[in-house]
Amino acid sequence: WDDLERYRSGLPVLAREGLWAYRVRKFARRHRVGVVAAGIIGLVLAGSSVILASQRAETIRQRDRATEAALLATAEAENSQMVINFLADVFRGRNPGQAPSDTLTARELLEWGTERVETEFATRPAVQASLFLVLGNAHHNLGLLDEGVGLLERSVALRRGVFGEDSGELAEALLALGGVHRNNRDFSYALIPLREALDIRRAAPVEDEVELAAALEALGMVVRDTQQPDSAELLLREALEIRTRYPHMEAEYAGTTLILAYVLRGLGKLDEAAAHYEVGIPRYRSLP
């Protein structure tokens, strides 16, 4: 009789006392609302803990990224300052106790500077690469073509090792090397670094598209010089399309417009070439 009354009331019967699962089911039936509410609360708390854990992990990742970016910016600033200080020191010239004569030629200064870079920055490859880049261009501008190419090649090699195959720093050095080869009219040598630089720039984030335009234009000019006007046209059109999104860069826009006009004229697209000349020439003349 007692078990019958307990069964009608939803209580566990004494005959099955001790069966844990049975007693739990009976309790749940008697307190459905409370059990459901408790379950919902449990799910909410569990879900909240997962969300909070995820948010905490993302916060840590963001903090780490911010810390890494700050450290990188600091290192870059220090490297840039070292480059500036060194170049200022070089172009002030040697002190009287070191100078072999009262006057030094630009070539002697560059040779002396190169020697110092090799010794003083042997343990700072990032700074050394930047200085080789500057000195390589300086040698080239003085007509010291072989020396300029050699220094730029060393800059490329150092930056490849320090910053990696897909870095903007490497692309910058490759563009400089390709530009020097082009100025030397060694077009076949120019194509190799310029194509690699363009591949790097294409893979970069969208916000770096200004650098992409520069790489497109550099390769476009060399392709034009190797008698591939159709390919040059495609590269320069893409570069100009990017340039149009940056109206404050008047010099770059005018330059790309005029280069494209030259290529279009060579392809016999005279009307379009004339239209580009009409846009590019006034802008070029208005530059300060």
Side-chain angles (χ1 to χ4, degrees), residues 79-91 110 113-122 124-139 148 151-152 154-155 158-159 172:
N79 289 346
S80 298
Q81 192 59 50
M82 290 179 72
V83 169
I84 293 169
N85 292 343
F86 176 81
L87 291 174
D89 186 38
V90 167
F91 290 105
L110 291 176
T114 301
E115 291 172 2
R116 288 186 57 190
V117 171
E118 291 173 344
T119 57
E120 294 180 23
F121 297 97
R124 302 291 295 269
V127 178
Q128 195 176 55
S130 295
L131 287 167
F132 281 148
L133 181 64
V134 173
L135 292 170
N137 283 323
H139 276 80
L151 288 167
L152 291 172
R154 295 177 70 177
S155 179
L158 284 167
R159 286 190 167 187
E172 180 187 27

Side-chain angles (χ1 to χ4, degrees), residues 9 24 31 46-47 69 76 97 102 113 133 157 161 180 186 189 194 208 220 225 227 235 244 251 258 263 273:
S9 301
V24 169
H31 306 283
E76 289 178 348
D102 293 334
L133 181 64
V180 168
D186 294 328
Y189 288 105
L194 292 180
D208 295 334
D225 295 334
Q227 307 306 312
L235 291 165
T244 59
L258 293 174
V263 171

Side-chain angles (χ1 to χ4, degrees), residues 58-243:
E58 179 61 24
T59 299
I60 292 173
R61 284 193 294 270
Q62 290 179 356
R63 183 197 63 197
D64 291 344
R65 285 196 294 268
T67 301
E68 183 180 352
L71 291 173
L72 180 60
T74 300
E76 289 178 348
E78 290 176 352
N79 289 346
S80 298
Q81 192 59 50
M82 290 179 72
V83 169
I84 293 169
N85 292 343
F86 176 81
L87 291 174
D89 186 38
V90 167
F91 290 105
R92 276 196 296 267
R94 302 185 185 189
N95 64 50
Q98 293 175 311
S101 62
D102 293 334
T103 60
L104 286 170
T105 66
R107 178 170 185 162
E108 288 174 325
L109 281 175
L110 291 176
E111 289 176 352
W112 177 57
T114 301
E115 291 172 2
R116 288 186 57 190
V117 171
E118 291 173 344
T119 57
E120 294 180 23
F121 297 97
T123 60
R124 302 291 295 269
V127 178
Q128 195 176 55
S130 295
L131 287 167
F132 281 148
L133 181 64
V134 173
L135 292 170
N137 283 323
H139 276 80
H140 177 261
N141 292 336
L142 285 176
L144 306 173
L145 307 183
D146 292 339
E147 293 89 338
V149 168
L151 288 167
L152 291 172
E153 287 176 339
R154 295 177 70 177
S155 179
V156 166
L158 284 167
R159 286 190 167 187
R160 195 185 299 278
V162 173
F163 299 106
E165 298 285 345
D166 58 350
S167 64
E169 290 84 359
L170 174 59
E172 180 187 27
L174 288 166
L175 283 170
L177 177 59
V180 168
H181 278 310
R182 177 181 176 271
N183 291 339
N184 294 346
R185 305 194 67 77
D186 294 328
F187 301 130
S188 59
Y189 288 105
L191 286 171
I192 298 171
L194 292 180
R195 282 174 174 156
E196 185 180 357
L198 179 57
D199 288 341
I200 294 171
R201 293 305 191 192
R202 282 200 186 282
V206 175
E207 56 264 27
D208 295 334
E209 65 177 358
V210 170
E211 286 80 8
L212 171 59
L216 287 162
E217 182 178 309
L219 182 58
M221 288 191 293
V222 173
V223 169
R224 176 201 68 187
D225 295 334
T226 56
Q227 307 306 312
Q228 301 176 67
D230 293 323
S231 298
E233 179 188 359
L234 293 176
L235 291 165
L236 293 167
R237 283 190 186 278
E238 186 178 355
L240 186 60
E241 181 183 355
I242 295 172
R243 299 287 196 207

